[in-house]
Amino acid sequence: MNEHTLNVITAKSRADKAINSLKGILQGINIDKKVNSQEINELQKWANEHNDLIQRNPFNEFMEIISQTSLGDIPATELIEDLYWLCQKYEGDNYYYNGLTADLQTLHGICHGVLADGIIEDEEVNRLHDWLNENEHLSTYWPYDELRSLVLSIISDKKIDEEERLVLMAFINQFVDIKDSNIKNTISSQIEDVKISGHCSSRI
């Protein structure tokens, strides 16, 4: 395999993973049907991180839409809808990863979106529970089983207290890399005394 072929394969795998992750981030941001400035900021940082893919479809479209939002030309809710539509449009071209790996990458993205503003709302926990129930084919794969078990235990009494919220935040923080340093530091300070045991970290 020559260097050019290797670069093409590497670029394709990174592009497909980025689309799967973006799809999840968008779902996570919009999971409570609200979009705030911190979440948009995290989305813009995602765009900056993947700026080297801007010459590839559909990243040129992604970056253009996100940049228009930063200029105030597109409302935040419309941005999420447009970007998610683009992700679905190009889903058929996403052939590097099998469906299982793609769905796990989407799950990571959803968790990223949920944590993007450093706050986990009740609605986000409930909708995350719904998504996990609808994707039982991910059972036996990390972090699905541990996350589903944790979320189920949190909502079982139909009341989410602050300790449960922080435990969920600490668990998600194991595999989500928040780009905004202020949000990242806020999360770290909130969960510094939370102990997560019985879960091993891994990345998709």
Side-chain angles (χ1 to χ4, degrees):
M1 184 181 297
N2 61 40
E3 184 177 350
H4 173 72
T5 302
L6 182 61
N7 288 339
V8 169
I9 293 174
T10 302
K12 177 60 180 170
S13 68
R14 184 161 182 256
D16 284 3
K17 180 178 179 180
I19 292 175
N20 292 332
S21 298
L22 177 61
K23 181 181 175 183
I25 291 171
L26 295 170
Q27 287 180 265
I29 287 175
N30 201 40
I31 205 166
D32 58 355
K33 306 303 179 184
K34 295 183 291 185
V35 183
N36 58 43
S37 59
Q38 292 94 340
E39 291 168 333
I40 293 300
N41 183 52
E42 187 67 17
L43 195 56
Q44 290 165 348
K45 290 185 179 301
W46 176 92
N48 293 338
E49 184 183 18
H50 295 88
N51 194 56
D52 60 308
L53 294 171
I54 198 168
Q55 300 304 320
R56 297 179 64 93
N57 282 328
F59 289 91
N60 47 2
E61 295 180 75
F62 288 153
M63 305 313 183
E64 182 179 355
I65 292 173
I66 293 173
S67 66
Q68 286 177 322
T69 305
S70 66
L71 296 173
D73 295 337
I74 300 179
T77 52
E78 186 177 330
L79 162 80
I80 300 300
E81 292 173 1
D82 289 351
L83 288 174
Y84 192 76
W85 179 84
L86 270 180
C87 286
Q88 291 181 307
K89 177 183 176 183
Y90 286 94
E91 206 166 29
D93 296 330
N94 186 338
Y95 58 80
Y96 186 86
Y97 294 103
N98 62 34
L100 188 65
T101 301
D103 287 344
L104 285 170
Q105 290 170 346
T106 299
L107 174 57
H108 278 227
I110 290 172
C111 292
H112 190 155
V114 166
L115 209 58
D117 59 356
I119 301 168
I120 299 181
E121 305 280 0
D122 289 9
E123 183 69 7
E124 292 175 317
V125 179
N126 290 320
R127 296 289 75 79
L128 179 58
H129 174 254
D130 292 342
W131 190 94
L132 293 167
N133 279 346
E134 293 165 3
N135 290 273
E136 291 183 352
H137 63 287
L138 299 178
S139 179
T140 75
Y141 291 90
W142 195 90
Y144 176 87
D145 289 333
E146 291 87 346
L147 182 59
R148 188 182 185 194
S149 177
L150 178 56
V151 170
L152 184 60
S153 70
I154 289 173
I155 68 168
S156 60
D157 61 355
K158 303 187 186 310
K159 179 183 177 182
I160 304 172
D161 61 38
E162 190 61 23
E163 182 180 354
E164 292 172 327
R165 208 181 305 276
L166 291 177
V167 168
L168 179 58
M169 182 180 291
F171 179 74
I172 291 176
N173 194 59
Q174 290 183 110
F175 56 88
V176 163
D177 183 19
I178 297 297
K179 303 303 177 184
D180 185 285
S181 58
N182 291 328
I183 297 294
K184 195 168 189 171
N185 291 336
T186 297
I187 292 171
S188 295
S189 66
Q190 290 184 80
I191 64 174
E192 61 182 350
D193 295 325
V194 178
K195 304 299 181 185
I196 299 293
S197 59
H199 303 293
C200 59
S201 295
S202 176
R203 289 186 181 273
I204 297 298

